[in-house]
Amino acid sequence: MIKALEIIQAEHRSMWQILNVLEECAHVARQGDTPERGLVDLVLEYLETYIDEVHHPKEDKYLFSALIARSENARDLVEDLQGQHGQEAERLARVRAELVNKDLDLEAFAAVAEDYIGFQREHMRQEEDNLFPLAREHLTESDWQGIEDAFANNKDPVFGEHTHEKYAVLRSRITVQARPPLGLGAPVTRIKSGGEPVLELRGVSAHYGRIAALRSVSIQVDKGQLVALVGSNGAGKTTLLRTISGLQASSGGRMLFEGRDLSQIKASQRVAAGIAHVPEGRQVFAPLSVEDNLLLGAYSRTDKGAGVRRDIDRIYDIFPVLRDKRKVPAGTLSGGQQQMLAIGRAMMAKPRLMLLDEPSMGLSPLLVSEVFEVIKRLQQEGITILIVEQNAAAVLALADIGYVLESGEITHSGEGWALRDNEDVKRAYLGI
Ligand SMILES: Nc1ncnc2c1ncn2[C@@H]1O[C@H](COP(=O)(O)OP(=O)(O)OP(=O)(O)O)[C@@H](O)[C@H]1O
Ligand SMILES: [Mg+2]
């Protein structure tokens, strides 16, 4: 992954979430209620300043100009996108103009806001779908290095840490005021937990040699719940999932799956017992076709034949793109499609508990929302889910229960939303 593009994508993701807040306000206005003006004001302030001061210069001054220098063919697209930058500002100014009206015309406000949101989203989509691939193709390593250096330059008035701090404060004020759903579309419908534990970890430890990667971790996942484990790089998230699925030995504590002691179930038997693990980095079998990958997911099942066929069709209904591509080698799929395939393959084992390791990693903002939609759907189908994520804001908005893991220890836990509003957690993990 190219660092400079990762930075731009992260900014897109952030804007996408802010646009969701604005969309919610427009929706409220459409219902005939006055949206919280303070919140709209903050959102507009963010969009007006952040995009102009931080985001566009990255593209206009660096990415776009480097690309034109390398590829004459990219010129039309780049000029189009540059033109759109100007039009975005005009559209945003119309939203502002409505808002400063003392007697807010709800319909008019909603209309200009929706117009701006749609335009801005389409613009980001075009950049990610059309411009990024061209840039990947044409820019050289030294081009990327130059861009990265510019983005990382703390002395630059635009890109330095001070600017980041300023926007982090603004974002955090928005997050505090905006109730759900921030960043994820429709509010989550929660399946009530029957309080019946599917997975219980009590004081579990794991070591790499003498280094402790997990220290006395206790968590509980009840039937039907979606439980999220968040934490920064190297916190031990992957280790925890690998310990549950048996790929990593535990060095202490107890693990129970549906009341059975997991130490009595060999790693190789755990899939058949009902635990499916979707590992980090979506490891599909690249040379095999999409359909063969799905079939492999069913290897532990005793009911071969019609049942398996039915389930493959069901997975194609959930992920239509996999049906279209069922005959092509999995390695040719895009990152997002491979993630869907990895999840589909795990579903083929008919698990009662699914372990997901960073399904959003490396995906564009759009795909992240799509993958999270799918995960919600899995939960609605009755699968109990333990998901590990660095993308804490998004996953905690979705989760019934969340845990924070720091250096191998659980430091916070609670309902997803409560955890997301927790000041410590916000500072440390939500980048706000
Ligand atoms: N095979 C290994 N041998 C030795 N140390 C390891 C090994 N795998 C992981 N570690 C260490 O264990 C700690 C936890 O790693 P782990 O991969 O579980 O973290 P993580 O939370 O999943 O991180 P990331 O967000 O990067 O995926 C880290 O300090 C890591 O360096
Ligand atoms: Mg990991």
Side-chain angles (χ1 to χ4, degrees), residues 58 81 96 124 176 245 285 309 334 351-352 383 395-397:
K58 288 203 175 86
L81 291 169
R96 175 60 87 186
M124 287 193 268
V176 171
S245 64
F285 296 101
R309 191 62 248 172
S334 72
R352 294 187 297 286
I383 302 178
V395 80
L396 289 177

Side-chain angles (χ1 to χ4, degrees), residues 237-238 280 357-358 388:
K237 304 182 298 296
T238 296
E280 204 172 10
D357 197 345
E358 306 231 23
V388 147

Side-chain angles (χ1 to χ4, degrees), residues 203-255:
V204 169
S205 322
H207 286 74
Y208 292 110
R210 285 163 60 187
I211 298 169
L214 297 176
R215 304 156 202 263
S216 194
V217 169
S218 297
I219 63 170
Q220 178 164 334
V221 183
D222 286 348
K223 193 168 173 155
Q225 275 183 337
L226 195 165
V227 173
L229 184 86
V230 303
S232 47
N233 245 308
K237 304 182 298 296
T238 296
T239 304
L240 185 72
L241 294 193
R242 289 172 58 85
T243 307
I244 297 166
S245 64
L247 299 170
Q248 164 76 33
S250 68
S251 48
R254 253 159 77 81
M255 299 190 285

